[in-house]
Amino acid sequence: MTSNNPFLSQREAVCPDWLLDMAQKAATPRVAIARAGAPLPMEAARDATDANIMEPVFTGERAMIEAEAEKLGWDISQFQLIEAEGEQDSGMAAAMACGEGRADVMMKGQLHSDTFMRAALARDAGLRTGNRLVHIFHISHPDGGRSVTISDAAVNVDPNIDTRKDATKEVVKLLKMLGTERPKVAFMSATESVLPAVPSSVEADELATWAKVEISGADFSGPLALDLILSPAAVATKGLSNDPVAGQADAIIVPDIVSGNSLFKSLVYLTGGCAAGIVMGAKVPVLLTSRADPPAARMASACLAALVTAANKNS
């Protein structure tokens, strides 16, 4: 339905050609889809399979999966189908397939996010690495302008300093996989000054100081408010032109899920950008898709998973 809200973009999100091209050049990953028997996950799997960026491994109720495939006119007889009943068993079946090396990516289908993530974190699944799981959104501009990456807008509600350190490492790693030679990472707050009354500004300063010492091949700055993260004009006005990140950030590390989720949805709904989401830190990439995700976002997320899988296997 078209909205008459003047703030909302009327553009339909499109998976960037450059991202799809990169994914198609990588080895095709086997993607375990937890409880696949529903229209949205099956359509996403069909589209990604047709694009040669996914080999699906279906988990869930056989009758439901086959019925959805038939609606799409899609012959899935050549693909593996692991029978499981209900959300919990289907989630564990997908997680176990990844943990045992029978699949390379874990993807959410028709089940609740908390059930899906519990399966990914279950000790028996074998996906834990000792690292914290962090969610990353890579948002492409509809006109092909500079992309921006945000962490964490979906998994960690109130991430502590250590969790945000892990998020920073994963963001830099992902951006380098995507071809950004020297990522520019901003630690977001409501101000560029370190103010004890604004705890996120103090933490951003601590994180920027840490990152400059511990992570090579990238630039870091914080605290920075959103205008100083995105706007060169604001940077010039406030006299921060010598800051290597301000006004040209590739990535934003947010202080909590509310700011991150609001920022991600603002960029998507107000610009028509395409948001690819991925959870990093487990043995395999995890795709925590949403029912509200358009087809382009699902395709772009599958592209990220293919690239991360290929990079992990080559490392």
Side-chain angles (χ1 to χ4, degrees):
M1 179 180 296
T2 301
S3 170
N4 60 3
N5 188 320
F7 287 102
L8 297 179
S9 172
Q10 303 305 312
R11 296 187 182 193
E12 183 177 349
V14 176
C15 178
D17 288 339
W18 65 267
L19 181 59
L20 182 59
D21 183 61
M22 285 184 69
Q24 288 173 331
K25 291 176 180 177
T28 305
R30 300 162 298 171
V31 180
I33 307 167
R35 206 166 190 230
L40 289 177
M42 287 299 287
E43 288 174 13
R46 188 271 314 271
D47 293 346
T49 301
D50 287 349
N52 295 317
I53 60 171
M54 176 188 295
E55 178 186 326
V57 177
F58 304 107
T59 79
E61 296 85 351
R62 176 179 291 275
M64 293 170 62
I65 294 169
E66 292 179 342
E68 293 298 334
E70 186 174 351
K71 290 177 187 177
L72 295 171
W74 184 23
D75 179 8
I76 61 170
S77 59
Q78 63 182 304
F79 303 118
Q80 185 179 0
L81 194 161
I82 304 170
E83 291 195 61
E85 290 292 327
E87 294 191 6
Q88 183 173 342
D89 288 349
S90 298
M92 281 304 301
M96 294 291 288
C98 292
E100 294 172 357
R102 293 179 284 117
D104 307 301
V105 178
M106 183 176 173
M107 174 178 165
K108 179 176 173 286
Q110 189 69 9
L111 74 170
H112 289 89
S113 295
D114 57 347
T115 303
F116 176 74
M117 291 306 298
R118 274 200 303 271
L121 289 168
R123 293 189 181 278
D124 292 344
L127 297 183
R128 293 187 178 191
T129 63
N131 297 327
R132 295 167 180 82
L133 299 192
V134 295
H135 189 278
I136 302 172
F137 274 119
H138 181 269
I139 305 175
S140 303
H141 193 280
D143 292 330
R146 194 185 196 99
S147 300
V148 66
T149 301
I150 300 172
S151 184
D152 183 317
V155 171
N156 292 293
V157 175
D158 188 20
N160 60 22
I161 290 288
D162 287 337
T163 299
R164 276 177 277 168
K165 286 179 179 179
D166 282 353
T168 305
K169 293 175 184 176
E170 296 293 354
V171 161
V172 170
K173 184 191 306 181
L174 179 64
L175 285 171
K176 289 189 175 184
M177 289 178 190
L178 294 176
T180 304
E181 292 186 8
R182 189 175 182 87
K184 299 178 181 297
V185 182
F187 297 97
M188 191 175 79
S189 182
T191 172
E192 71 276 15
S193 301
V194 180
L195 304 175
V198 185
S200 62
S201 72
V202 178
E203 293 168 351
D205 179 65
E206 178 182 341
L207 285 163
T209 300
W210 165 84
K212 291 172 185 176
V213 173
E214 297 296 332
I215 303 177
S216 62
D219 293 314
F220 305 94
S221 182
L224 289 174
L226 186 60
D227 59 338
L228 294 174
I229 291 173
L230 299 178
S231 171
V235 170
T237 298
K238 293 191 176 183
L240 292 178
S241 297
N242 291 329
D243 188 300
V245 176
Q248 51 185 334
D250 299 301
I252 305 170
I253 305 298
V254 299
D256 57 57
I257 197 170
V258 175
S259 56
N261 196 271
S262 299
L263 176 57
F264 137 67
K265 288 177 178 174
S266 296
L267 291 173
V268 170
Y269 282 91
L270 302 185
T271 70
C274 179
I278 192 167
V279 178
M280 305 275 281
K283 179 181 177 181
V284 302
V286 177
L287 298 183
L288 184 62
T289 52
S290 166
R291 287 174 295 174
D293 288 342
R298 293 171 181 268
M299 180 71 77
S301 297
C303 288
L304 284 189
L307 293 171
V308 171
T309 300
N312 288 343
K313 289 185 175 180
N314 292 330
S315 63

